[in-house]
C-alpha cells in the first residue's frame, strides 16, 4: 500500500462523517508559503508538538476565512487520534476502521470525551504523505481541495479537535500519517 497513490476513501453516516485521503505529490510552484509556524515542517518524532500546533493553526485560519469559530484542542480526542495514527503506521493499514474492527465512534467512546454528554457529533479526516507532501501546509491544502474533507473542516457545529501525527506511513515510507478527530458535545 502506497499512501501517495491510494484513491480517496470516503464514508458518511448521519452523525458521523468519516473521511480518508491519500496525498499525491504537489509541485513546489503550486504551494503557498505557510503563515503558521512549523507549517512547512516535515514531521519527525522531535517536532510532533510543533507540527500539531501548525496543523491546528492552518485549520483555524481556514475556518476564520469562512467566519467560523476556532477549533479547540481537546486532550481526549487528541489521545485517540494519536493512538490511531500510530496504529495505522505500526500495522500497515490506511482506513477509518482498524484491522481489528475498531471505528472512530468506538475509539472516542472509550475516552472521556463523550462521557456525560446528552448528544455528540464526530468527524474524522485521515491523511498520509512522504517528504514535502507530509507537511501540515500540504496536508491542509489537500484536505481543503477535497469536498468531503473541506466539509468536515468548515462544519461550524464541530468545535473540538484532536490531532494525531505519527512519523512514518502505513506502507513503511518515510513521512507522516495524520488523524484529525473533530467533535461537538452537548451537555
Amino acid at each position: 500500500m502506497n499512501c501517495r497513490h491510494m484513491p480517496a476513501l470516503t464514508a458518511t453516516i448521519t452523525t458521523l462523517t468519516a473521511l480518508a485521503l491519500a496525498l499525491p505529490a504537489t509541485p513546489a510552484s503550486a504551494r503557498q508559503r505557510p503563515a503558521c509556524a512549523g507549517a512547512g515542517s516535515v514531521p519527525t518524532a522531535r517536532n510532533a508538538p510543533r507540527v500539531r500546533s501548525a496543523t491546528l493553526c492552518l485549520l483555524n485560519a481556514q475556518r476564520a476565512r469562512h467566519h467560523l469559530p476556532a477549533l479547540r484542542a481537546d486532550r481526549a480526542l487528541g489521545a485517540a487520534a494519536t493512538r490511531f495514527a500510530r496504529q495505522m503506521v505500526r500495522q500497515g493499514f490506511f482506513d477509518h476502521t482498524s484491522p481489528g474492527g475498531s471505528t472512530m465512534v468506538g475509539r472516542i467512546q472509550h475516552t472521556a470525551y463523550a462521557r456525560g454528554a446528552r448528544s455528540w457529533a464526530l468527524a474524522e479526516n485521515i491523511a498520509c504523505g512522504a517528504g514535502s507532501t507530509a507537511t501540515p501546509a500540504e496536508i491542509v491544502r489537500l484536505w481543503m481541495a477535497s469536498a468531503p474533507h473541506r466539509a468536515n473542516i468548515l462544519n461550524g457545529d464541530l468545535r473540538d479537535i484532536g490531532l494525531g501525527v505519527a512519523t512514518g506511513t502505513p506502507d513503511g515510507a518515510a513521512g507522516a500519517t495524520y488523524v484529525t478527530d473533530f467533535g461537538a458535545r452537548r451537555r
Side-chain angles (χ1 to χ4, degrees):
M1 165 188 320
N2 184 326
C3 68
R4 289 173 293 163
H5 301 323
M6 288 179 94
L9 305 171
T10 62
T12 303
I13 301 173
T14 318
T15 60
L16 160 69
T17 304
L19 301 167
L21 177 64
L23 304 174
T26 301
S29 60
R31 292 186 206 119
Q32 294 180 356
R33 180 164 290 245
C36 299
S41 301
V42 174
T44 66
R46 296 174 77 189
N47 72 2
R50 183 175 182 175
V51 166
R52 283 191 303 273
S53 178
T55 304
L56 179 57
C57 174
L58 291 165
L59 292 171
N60 280 334
Q62 291 296 330
R63 288 174 65 93
R65 283 187 196 108
H66 292 86
H67 310 288
L68 294 169
L71 293 164
R72 301 174 297 235
D74 181 88
R75 230 178 237 190
L77 290 177
T82 298
R83 280 191 302 273
F84 193 57
R86 289 176 179 161
Q87 182 184 8
M88 281 194 286
V89 171
R90 187 175 59 254
Q91 294 181 353
F93 72 94
F94 185 71
D95 199 339
H96 293 282
T97 303
S98 75
S102 76
T103 64
M104 176 189 59
V105 172
R107 290 187 299 273
I108 301 304
Q109 285 178 321
H110 285 95
T111 72
Y113 185 76
R115 285 190 207 130
R118 269 184 306 135
S119 64
W120 40 269
L122 300 171
E124 181 172 82
N125 289 352
I126 64 175
C128 64
S132 63
T133 66
T135 67
E138 189 66 3
I139 296 289
V140 171
R141 187 190 71 73
L142 290 168
W143 275 337
M144 290 303 291
S146 162
H149 294 86
R150 179 185 175 93
N152 279 350
I153 294 165
L154 299 180
N155 182 334
D157 292 332
L158 299 173
R159 302 297 296 276
D160 304 316
I161 189 168
L163 291 158
V165 180
T167 55
T169 64
D171 63 359
T177 300
Y178 288 70
V179 175
T180 55
D181 286 333
F182 301 94
R185 299 176 282 203
R186 288 166 193 84
R187 301 216 183 256

